[in-house]
Amino acid sequence: DKALLRERLTSYPATSISIHLVQNGDILLVKRGASIPVDGIVVYGRSGVNQGMVTGEAMPVYKKEGDKVIGGTTNMEEHIYVQSTCARPSESVLSKIVQMVQDAQSNKPPIQALADRIASVFVPTVVLISAITFLIWILLLESGYVAMGGGMMDGKAASHDAFLFALMRGVAVLVVSCPCSLGLATPTAIMVATGVGAALGILYKSGHSLEMAG
């Protein structure tokens, strides 16, 4: 009963231990103002717990015996005793939320898969066109079909200038087409959107959910 439990809890002095030593079933004393170290169930005491970091609630949530508490939240009012139900950090509610955000950033939505397929063809095509542009210009300049301004130059100087002229045209084609933007735009938008959403308390389960949200 409650009285017996209270006597057992108060008869032994509390000892501070590392969170890495906490096991499932351990009973932890969480003092007022302290963070609840792991997920668990309140076995003795009543208090208000600030769960804002997880749920976004502005006011503390009242907890009594039998209620679940989340690791990382803050005990605001009275001392409570919490029995650990999830000692492994990777299985905690907070860790699952973090993993969900990471999965949402790594999962490809349909629009990104489409962009990747287009980029797989578009990028090599643009690089090929850029190389062809360079070769055409260098051949035209070296053969004399197209003349550059600048007056009379010796053969070495003319060849050097022709190479730079042709190279600039080839690079211009590559820069204007900008194939990198097609492959980078969608994942960058997803990363920014999930980061801003998480800061505002909005979590996306996957990239597809983010796309459906518009």
Side-chain angles (χ1 to χ4, degrees), residues 88-136:
R88 298 179 61 181
S90 60
E91 297 178 356
S92 66
V93 171
L94 192 59
S95 295
K96 291 178 180 178
I97 292 175
V98 173
Q99 185 63 45
M100 184 175 65
V101 173
Q102 292 175 345
D103 291 343
Q105 291 180 335
S106 61
N107 289 341
K108 291 184 179 181
I111 187 64
Q112 185 176 348
L114 176 61
D116 289 344
R117 287 197 299 269
I118 295 174
S120 65
V121 177
F122 181 68
V123 173
T125 301
V126 169
V127 173
L128 179 61
I129 294 174
S130 176
I132 293 174
T133 302
F134 168 77
L135 292 175
I136 290 175

Side-chain angles (χ1 to χ4, degrees), residues 132-208:
I132 293 174
T133 302
F134 168 77
L135 292 175
I136 290 175
W137 273 104
I138 196 71
L139 291 175
L140 290 175
L141 293 171
E142 290 290 346
S143 62
Y145 281 102
V146 177
M148 293 187 303
M152 298 298 294
M153 295 179 292
D154 58 33
K156 184 175 181 181
S159 178
H160 178 69
D161 286 349
F163 176 81
L164 291 179
F165 187 89
L167 181 62
M168 289 176 61
R169 269 55 187 176
V171 172
V173 172
L174 193 62
V175 171
V176 171
S177 61
C178 194
C180 297
S181 61
L182 183 63
L184 294 176
T186 303
T188 301
I190 292 174
M191 185 170 295
V192 172
T194 52
V196 173
L200 297 176
I202 303 172
L203 301 178
Y204 297 96
K205 185 176 181 180
S206 64
H208 178 68

